[in-house]
């Protein structure tokens, strides 16, 4: 799928925008105490599947206390791991995942309505993105990319109509795989 993704993005006409230009807001916060007593889902870095970046439901946890709804994920929310070996790991909220709050060490970008979230998310699965993460996460000590740095992530951008065509194609390829 990654080789198909690379070919698709090479063949389309696009401009480059930074992700902060196509997002409403950026948000992150610190880790909250969790419980095994499941009430609502709580997405942590370790809950993001390594292969397809979906929500891995094998070890569900729930916030131990009530959380503010500003930490509740909505359609168009794209999350990135900000530190450690998982830096750069991404997750696009899927309403099929239900009511989900995001945990600390994840940075949330709320994508604007005039972009196709899957089109943007697909770019985070590319080799170009992985190279960007490697270059931007180098630190003395543990690798990391903060919200300000992620805001400068270059995104290939085209019309919503073209984004939707590409996203539909990539989604069909994912389903076949």
């Amino acid at each position: 799928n990654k080789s198909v993704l690379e070919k698709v993005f090479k063949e389309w006409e696009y401009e480059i925008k930074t992700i902060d230009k196509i997002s409403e807001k950026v948000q992150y916060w610190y880790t909250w105490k969790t419980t095994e007593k499941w009430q609502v889902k709580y997405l942590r870095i370790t809950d993001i599947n390594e292969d397809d970046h979906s929500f891995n439901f094998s070890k569900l946890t729930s916030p131990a206390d009530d959380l503010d709804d500003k930490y509740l994920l909505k359609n168009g929310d794209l999350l990135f791991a900000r530190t450690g070996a998982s830096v750069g790991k991404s997750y696009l909220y899927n309403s099929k995942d239900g009511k989900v709050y995001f945990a600390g060490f994840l940075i949330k970008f709320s994508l604007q309505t005039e972009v196709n979230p899957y089109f943007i998310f697909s770019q985070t699965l590319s080799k170009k993105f992985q190279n960007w993460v490697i270059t931007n996460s180098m630190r003395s000590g543990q690798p990391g990319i903060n919200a300000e740095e992620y805001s400068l992530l270059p995104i290939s951008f085209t019309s919503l109509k073209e984004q939707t065509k590409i996203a539909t194609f990539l989604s069909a390829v994912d389903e076949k795989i």
Side-chain angles (χ1 to χ4, degrees):
N1 183 13
K2 287 185 181 183
S3 64
V4 171
L5 181 68
E6 302 300 329
K7 286 179 184 176
V8 167
F9 285 112
K10 280 183 182 177
E11 294 179 15
W12 291 88
E13 294 291 325
Y14 56 86
E15 63 179 291
I16 302 294
K17 293 186 178 186
T18 55
I19 198 165
D20 64 328
K21 302 294 186 227
I22 57 171
S23 301
E24 296 296 329
K25 60 182 173 183
V26 137
Q27 182 181 18
Y28 66 100
W29 63 297
Y30 300 102
T31 303
W32 205 255
K33 185 177 174 187
T34 62
T35 179
E36 298 291 321
K37 185 178 171 186
W38 189 79
Q39 297 167 7
V40 297
K41 297 171 192 153
Y42 190 58
L43 179 73
R44 303 163 299 173
I45 293 172
T46 55
D47 298 323
I48 301 172
N49 186 306
E50 292 287 338
D51 297 324
D52 64 2
H53 295 235
S54 63
F55 194 146
N56 179 355
F57 295 106
S58 64
K59 295 181 182 177
L60 283 179
T61 59
S62 187
D65 298 312
D66 289 335
L67 293 181
D68 189 310
D69 279 352
K70 70 181 180 181
Y71 302 113
L72 185 62
L73 296 177
K74 298 174 186 75
N75 286 331
D77 284 347
L78 178 60
L79 288 91
F80 294 97
R82 64 182 170 109
T83 189
S86 297
V87 69
K89 188 190 280 189
S90 61
Y91 165 79
L92 178 66
Y93 173 69
N94 185 333
S95 60
K96 293 177 186 175
D97 291 343
K99 188 175 182 178
V100 179
Y101 289 90
F102 73 100
F105 301 109
L106 290 168
I107 299 171
K108 179 181 84 167
F109 286 83
S110 297
L111 299 174
Q112 295 173 354
T113 56
E114 62 269 7
V115 300
N116 183 299
Y118 194 80
F119 172 79
I120 306 303
F121 168 70
S122 294
Q123 293 180 58
T124 70
L125 306 177
S126 71
K127 187 173 185 148
K128 181 179 176 181
F129 174 74
Q130 294 306 315
N131 289 337
W132 183 89
V133 167
I134 290 166
T135 301
N136 288 280
S137 65
M138 297 299 174
R139 308 220 183 299
S140 58
Q142 185 155 249
I145 300 176
N146 64 34
E148 186 176 308
E149 292 164 324
Y150 269 120
S151 292
L152 300 176
L153 170 67
I155 296 292
S156 297
F157 194 79
T158 187
S159 71
L160 182 56
K161 182 179 178 183
E162 295 299 318
Q163 289 176 45
T164 302
K165 280 183 189 177
I166 295 168
T168 301
F169 172 76
L170 292 173
S171 181
V173 170
D174 283 344
E175 284 179 29
K176 287 192 186 271
I177 290 173

